[in-house]
Amino acid sequence: MTGLSKQRRRSGLALAGPIAMALLLAGCQGDTPLPPPGTQRPPSSVARPVPGAVHFTAQGDIGLGSGAREVLDTVSGLRPELNLALGDFSYEAGREQEFCDMVTGKLGGDFPYEVVTGNHESDGHDGDIANIVNCLPNRLSGMQGEYGTQWYADYPERKPLVRFIMLSPGIKFRDGNTLDYASGSERWQWTAAALDDARSKQIPWTVVGMHTPCLSVGRYSCQAGQDLTNLLIDKKADLVLSGHDHIYQRSHQLGPGQECPLLVPDTFSAGCLASSGGTMAQGAGTVFVTVGTGGVGLYDVDDQDPEAGYFAAWSGKNRDAALGTLDVTATKDRLSAKFVPANGYTFTDSFSIGRK
């Protein structure tokens, strides 16, 4: 996998154009028990929406192995209305259709399995995002942007509870370049405008998804970029989801303030912690969750990482190893999330954000 590896020691002390442009481009659930092994959704069946709630799952780094199938079985048993797939799908060029067939075989041919590219398919070396988009097309009404790369959609379409915003920072595309999400860039402005527009329309929740994280106790450094990460915090995105690091990690609620004018990667500042409990209040800050546990091999976590103080929970190959998915339910008053492990694993984590 591409990306800059962190250099650290165990013993050491271990941190876009406006909405109009998008228009041109586009056009309370309680704890859920684990399904029995092999349980899956019948083909072409989509869960019926629960009135006043949105139920979705999210994970990345999936592959074609038995782990991927176990996680898809878990997703199927949870019966979400949609799934956010956070990149890195087949891991092999030429096998994208096989990946899509695996997904639709488990979840149904018309299930909204909503994708954003990972580094393995963005430049074509281990797959092609264009092929994934073709066989797992967008199924959310009113989507704006370039599906698979940078897009947003409100759900449900009428009286939406969530705006999903999917981005692609920090990974190379076929031209060998990364998309520019630096401060003031077109894509940075697009992201800011999408968040501002959701607030102006009084959509209760904003959920941002991308392949790369910035903060991590895993293998990688801030590939999502400091500028974009601080924008998401500054705009008070409620939940930011990523993959890439094959671990699970969930941050405390991070927010700006006099003691945290900017969050700086590879360091820790207690002033950036808006809330450190499992029950949080909307508007205080942003929760970052990496769910790179969709099926491929896990990475180690490092509790001596300098950014460890930003995190409330983590799981990796060397600690509470688990494949699985994040399971999220949003109502107008609360966003509740739980990590649900695949069959045979036991690690879990949960948190919630309430509206004032």
Side-chain angles (χ1 to χ4, degrees), residues 55-355:
H55 178 204
F56 67 95
T57 49
Q59 70 295 127
D61 307 278
I62 299 154
L64 288 162
S66 59
R69 296 174 189 277
E70 288 284 356
V71 173
L72 286 169
D73 284 340
T74 302
V75 171
S76 177
L78 292 168
R79 297 188 64 79
E81 297 164 55
L82 62 101
N83 182 84
L84 300 180
L86 303 169
D88 282 5
F89 302 122
S90 65
Y91 283 86
E92 290 188 50
R95 300 185 70 183
E96 297 94 329
Q97 185 64 55
E98 183 180 346
F99 177 85
C100 295
D101 291 344
M102 177 183 70
V103 170
T104 56
K106 295 287 188 180
L107 302 179
D110 52 0
F111 176 76
Y113 189 85
E114 301 294 304
V115 305
V116 71
T117 189
N119 59 288
H120 278 276
E121 54 274 339
S122 61
D123 65 0
H125 74 282
D126 284 330
D128 191 330
I129 186 58
N131 293 334
I132 295 292
V133 164
N134 184 59
C135 56
L136 289 171
N138 168 59
R139 299 191 182 280
L140 299 183
S141 300
M143 187 273 294
Q144 303 290 326
E146 182 184 356
Y147 182 64
T149 301
Q150 179 177 289
W151 58 272
Y152 74 82
D154 300 335
Y155 190 87
E157 187 177 17
R158 293 186 65 243
K159 297 182 180 180
L161 292 171
V162 182
R163 171 164 288 184
F164 297 106
I165 304 171
M166 306 292 273
L167 310 172
S168 294
I171 55 179
K172 292 182 179 180
F173 284 77
R174 287 189 179 275
D175 59 4
N177 296 317
T178 59
L179 303 184
D180 185 6
Y181 285 90
S183 180
S185 67
E186 183 177 301
R187 293 180 183 273
W188 186 93
Q189 293 180 45
W190 185 96
T191 305
L195 289 163
D196 288 342
D197 183 65
R199 297 299 186 207
S200 71
K201 292 179 177 176
Q202 298 184 331
I203 298 172
W205 303 102
T206 52
V207 175
V208 178
M210 63 188 76
H211 184 60
T212 58
C214 178
L215 305 176
S216 184
V217 293
R219 179 175 294 186
Y220 296 111
S221 59
C222 182
Q223 287 186 252
Q226 181 177 347
D227 288 352
L228 178 63
T229 301
N230 278 289
L231 172 67
L232 299 176
I233 294 172
D234 203 40
K235 294 293 184 181
K236 298 182 179 180
D238 296 303
L239 178 63
V240 177
L241 304 172
S242 63
H244 196 45
D245 251 329
H246 298 182
I247 62 175
Y248 173 84
Q249 56 185 1
R250 189 255 302 179
S251 78
H252 299 293
Q253 196 175 30
L254 307 182
Q258 289 186 344
E259 297 183 17
C260 182
L262 285 176
L263 188 145
V264 179
D266 297 319
T267 65
F268 172 71
S269 172
C272 296
L273 300 180
S275 175
S276 58
T279 302
M280 295 162 271
Q282 187 184 52
T286 301
V287 179
F288 294 82
V289 183
T290 297
V291 199
T293 55
V296 297
L298 297 170
Y299 296 161
D300 287 345
V301 293
D302 180 7
D303 59 9
Q304 297 301 309
D305 188 284
E307 297 169 352
Y310 289 123
F311 288 93
W314 56 67
S315 162
K317 182 179 179 181
N318 61 333
R319 178 170 172 176
D320 299 322
L323 298 176
T325 186
L326 193 69
D327 183 36
V328 186
T329 298
T331 68
K332 66 181 181 64
D333 297 319
R334 184 165 297 277
L335 185 148
S336 302
K338 180 179 180 180
F339 179 81
V340 180
N343 183 54
Y345 299 99
T346 59
F347 171 81
T348 192
D349 176 51
S350 63
F351 62 95
S352 67
I353 306 170
R355 296 185 77 205

